């Protein structure tokens, strides 16, 4: 992490569109995490003893405040993450919607009652786990923080959030809004810091009862090892390489629009982005022509400009990884770049980490473009003969996050939803997930669920009571 040279223990947050400083933050160290845990231990019993509806009411008030401040919050998010303002606003509204959802179900937190038996009366009660941790990536920092904060707090836990030090500023603002609406400061702490120090401290601590980690597969594996033996409940929301299958009977225009939105939203840096596309050979030519036409209309630009539809990558390293991958694929294989494929040469963009939206065909189906998670604005397309081949290719990777099939046929829809190895399968859609729908991966993409009732359950324990009269 680049330290700010003039102020030790602080680091600059850089705007990826301009290379300029958006803000400076204090880096939290292992001792800061330990002290937040101690303070949360003191705050826990008061918070846990509130009735869940009272906690839900605070989340609802905070969601209203977030909506009122959405313009200011979106601008801050764009300035630290780079995404266009309209996407930043979507994310801020998404965060409010998640908090509203958990507020709306707060009154339903309850156990179960069993029929009277020879033992007497038996029932279960749901209790919070205690102090929980959340580790957040930089790509959707505000939405992902809401996915963890909403259920953890409504269930009555304290939560320590470690955002990525690349994008901590909007998360800190959201936390201050939650505090101003009634969440005690020691119940929710946001501690930006390095993964190796602050993140590991959460993973290693025996006092953290549950940890929800979102990030790459490699870091997720480290977090899993660090957590081992600490008795904590772990959720791992990791990387993906989502396939999109376009069948011969698909509505081609809507599949083209879905592929463009699904791949280039957030400059291709979304866990469930469309990362590989398989199209049936009888429609491949028309489909690729229309896709190329749409993609070549997207101009990368500074997200602060109202007309910008795609911003920069998160930093220069990320841009250079994409650039090297494209150059290598073009040079080593018989691959054709249909549009994009390079760093834009516009002088206005020279200080940012921009890359042109890229469509590429002809790369082998077992090359890196199809087997790794490519986190940037690049869409590789492969032609397939039939559904069996499409599903076999889709399931070829170690990932299992999302997948989609585009078809009008019920048979294709059911076959794909049954056979695709993925935590979520869309038919005629990709990417969007409302707050009530559980979401998570399988295979290397992780385990556990966020969103919906499934996430709430992960933040509660069940106690059984038997009363013999
Ligand atoms: P990353 O793994 O580099 O970092 C994620 C977080 O982990 C950061 O806060 C980082 O500081 C922290 N971290 C780093 N080292 C750590 C350690 N040793 N111990 C504990 N924490 C540590 O990921 P990233 O580059 O920020 O995010 C991109 C990745 O996240 C992609 O792979 C993407 O697919 C994935 N992602 C997954 C989902 C999902 O829901 N499945 C959602 C968004 C992003």
């Amino acid at each position: 992490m680049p330290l700010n040279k003039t102020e030790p223990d602080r680091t600059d947050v850089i705007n990826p569109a301009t290379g300029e400083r958006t803000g400076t933050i204090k880096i939290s160290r292992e001792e800061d995490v330990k002290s937040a845990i101690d303070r949360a231990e003191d705050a826990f019993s008061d918070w846990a003893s509130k009735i869940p509806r009272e906690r839900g009411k605070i989340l609802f008030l905070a969601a209203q405040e977030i909506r009122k401040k959405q313009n200011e919050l979106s601008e801050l998010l764009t300035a630290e993450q780079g995404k266009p303002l309209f996407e930043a606003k979507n994310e801020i509204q998404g965060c409010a919607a998640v908090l509203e959802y958990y507020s709306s179900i707060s009154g339903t937190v309850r156990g179960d009652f069993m029929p009277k038996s020879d033992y007497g009366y038996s029932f279960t009660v749901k209790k919070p786990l205690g102090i929980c941790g959340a580790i957040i990536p930089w790509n959707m920092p505000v939405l992902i923080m809401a996915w963890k904060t909403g259920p953890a707090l409504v269930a009555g836990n304290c939560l320590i959030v470690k955002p990525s030090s690349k994008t901590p500023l909007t998360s800190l603002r959201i936390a201050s809004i939650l505090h101003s609406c009634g969440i005690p400061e020691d119940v929710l702490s946001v501690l930006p810091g390095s993964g190796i120090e602050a993140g590991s401290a959460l993973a290693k601590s025996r006092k953290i009862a549950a940890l929800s980690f979102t990030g790459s597969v490699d870091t997720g594996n480290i977090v899993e090892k660090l957590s081992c033996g600490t008795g904590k409940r772990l959720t791992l929301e990791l990387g993906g390489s989502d396939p999109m299958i376009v069948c011969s009977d698909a509505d081609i225009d809507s599949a083209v629009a879905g592929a463009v939105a699904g791949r280039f939203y957030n400059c291709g840096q979304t866990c469930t982005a469309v990362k590989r596309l398989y199209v049936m050979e009888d429609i491949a030519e028309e489909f690729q022509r229309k896709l190329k036409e749409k993609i070549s209309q997207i101009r990368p630009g500074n997200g602060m400009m109202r007309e910008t539809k795609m911003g920069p990558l998160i930093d220069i390293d990320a841009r250079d990884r994409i650039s090297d991958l494209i150059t290598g694929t073009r040079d080593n294989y018989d691959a054709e770049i249909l549009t994009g494929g390079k760093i834009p040469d516009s002088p206005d963009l020279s200080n940012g980490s921009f890359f042109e939206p890229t469509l590429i065909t002809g790369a082998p189906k077992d090359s890196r473009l199809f087997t790794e998670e490519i986190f940037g604005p690049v869409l590789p397309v492969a032609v397939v003969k039939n559904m069996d081949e499409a599903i076999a290719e889709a399931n070829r990777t170690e990932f299992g996050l999302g997948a989609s099939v585009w078809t009008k046929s019920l048979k294709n829809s059911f076959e794909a939803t049954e056979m695709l190895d993925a935590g979520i399968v869309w038919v005629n859609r990709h990417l969007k997930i409302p707050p009530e729908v559980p979401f998570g991966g399988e295979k290397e993409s992780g385990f556990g669920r966020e969103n919906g009732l499934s996430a709430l359950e992960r933040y509660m324990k069940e106690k059984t009571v038997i009363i013999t009269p």
Side-chain angles (χ1 to χ4, degrees), residues 134-140 144 147-148 162-166 193-203 211 213-220 222-223 226 236-241 269-272 275 314 321 373 375 399 401 439-441 445-446 450:
I135 301 181
I136 316 270
W138 48 261
N139 68 329
M140 298 230 168
I144 295 173
W147 286 349
K148 300 177 196 301
K162 196 214 82 66
S164 165
S165 43
K166 290 175 185 163
S194 86
I196 290 172
E197 263 210 62
S200 309
L202 285 173
L211 176 63
F213 169 86
T214 303
S216 61
V217 172
D218 287 349
T219 315
I222 296 173
V223 167
L226 291 172
L236 292 182
E237 296 288 350
L238 308 181
S241 177
Q269 305 167 113
T270 306
C271 51
T272 50
K275 298 200 178 106
I314 189 67
R321 276 196 299 276
E373 179 183 41
F375 224 49
F399 298 103
L401 195 56
F439 161 71
S445 294
E450 296 204 296

Side-chain angles (χ1 to χ4, degrees), residues 2-5 7 10-14 21 23-25 165:
L3 290 185
N4 181 312
K5 290 201 181 65
E7 299 171 83
R10 297 182 79 80
T11 187
D12 290 340
V13 177
I14 301 298
R21 186 164 63 92
T24 302
I25 49 151
S165 43

Side-chain angles (χ1 to χ4, degrees), residues 24 28 91 157 162-163 194 209 256 292 317 346 388 428 449:
T24 302
S28 302
E91 187 171 341
N157 301 284
K162 196 214 82 66
S194 86
V256 165
K292 174 184 169 182
D317 287 349
S346 157
D388 286 348
N428 297 325
R449 289 293 178 266

Side-chain angles (χ1 to χ4, degrees), residues 83-390:
K83 60 184 67 190
L85 275 175
F86 79 94
E87 288 186 9
K89 200 176 270 189
N90 277 346
E91 187 171 341
I92 300 296
Q93 288 169 349
C95 162
V98 171
L99 299 182
E100 284 157 3
Y101 167 70
Y102 283 105
S103 166
S104 76
I105 60 167
S106 58
T108 69
V109 171
R110 65 182 182 97
D112 204 358
F113 196 83
M114 271 51 79
K116 187 173 179 239
S117 72
D118 294 346
Y119 294 88
Y121 297 96
S122 312
F123 58 91
T124 59
V125 282
K126 292 291 174 81
K127 318 257 295 166
L129 301 174
I131 304 159
C132 300
I135 301 181
I136 316 270
W138 48 261
N139 68 329
M140 298 230 168
V142 173
L143 186 61
I144 295 173
M145 177 168 152
W147 286 349
K148 300 177 196 301
T149 307
L153 294 187
V154 140
N157 301 284
C158 295
L159 185 70
I160 298 172
V161 178
K162 196 214 82 66
S164 165
S165 43
K166 290 175 185 163
T167 54
L169 301 175
T170 322
S171 308
L172 286 163
R173 276 292 291 134
I174 298 278
S176 76
I177 292 172
L178 282 153
H179 293 147
S180 70
C181 291
I183 309 272
E185 293 207 0
D186 295 338
V187 165
L188 174 68
S189 311
V190 177
L191 301 181
S194 86
I196 290 172
E197 263 210 62
S200 309
L202 285 173
K204 284 187 301 196
S205 171
R206 297 189 72 85
K207 293 182 173 179
I208 296 290
L211 176 63
S212 177
F213 169 86
T214 303
S216 61
V217 172
D218 287 349
T219 315
N221 288 337
I222 296 173
V223 167
E224 190 175 7
K225 287 198 185 94
L226 291 172
S227 302
C228 191
T230 63
K232 63 171 57 65
R233 201 178 277 185
L234 191 60
T235 298
L236 292 182
E237 296 288 350
L238 308 181
S241 177
D242 287 14
M244 166 170 172
I245 298 172
V246 187
C247 299
S248 305
D249 68 339
D251 175 333
I252 292 189
D253 290 337
S254 93
V256 165
V260 173
R263 173 74 270 202
F264 298 101
Y265 193 82
N266 204 15
C267 195
Q269 305 167 113
T270 306
C271 51
T272 50
V274 173
K275 298 200 178 106
R276 312 171 268 149
L277 202 148
Y278 301 99
V279 58
M280 299 296 160
E281 62 184 353
D282 54 339
I283 55 159
E285 201 192 316
E286 179 186 356
F287 182 79
Q288 289 185 82
R289 180 173 38 79
K290 290 185 164 172
L291 193 56
K292 174 184 169 182
E293 207 177 290
K294 285 272 184 247
I295 295 172
S296 54
Q297 289 165 12
I298 305 171
R299 301 260 167 279
N302 186 331
M304 285 294 183
M305 316 300 275
R306 301 270 154 196
E307 68 278 9
T308 297
K309 296 282 179 285
M310 193 185 89
L313 285 119
I314 189 67
D315 57 26
I316 299 286
D317 287 349
R319 181 200 67 185
D320 290 350
R321 276 196 299 276
I322 294 290
S323 183
D324 292 348
L325 176 69
I326 294 300
T327 313
T329 306
R330 194 194 49 211
D331 294 349
N332 294 329
Y333 307 111
D334 199 13
E336 189 186 355
I337 294 168
L338 297 182
T339 183
K342 56 181 177 44
I343 296 168
D345 38 28
S346 157
D348 296 354
L349 306 182
S350 60
N351 292 327
S353 38
F354 296 93
F355 197 78
E356 289 178 349
T358 300
L359 181 63
I360 185 163
T361 57
K365 294 184 186 106
D366 60 356
S367 62
R368 286 182 59 203
L369 274 178
F370 287 98
T371 54
E372 294 181 10
E373 179 183 41
I374 310 301
F375 224 49
V378 175
L379 183 55
V381 180
V383 177
V384 286
K385 288 193 172 50
N386 52 40
M387 200 61 171
D388 286 348
E389 187 189 357

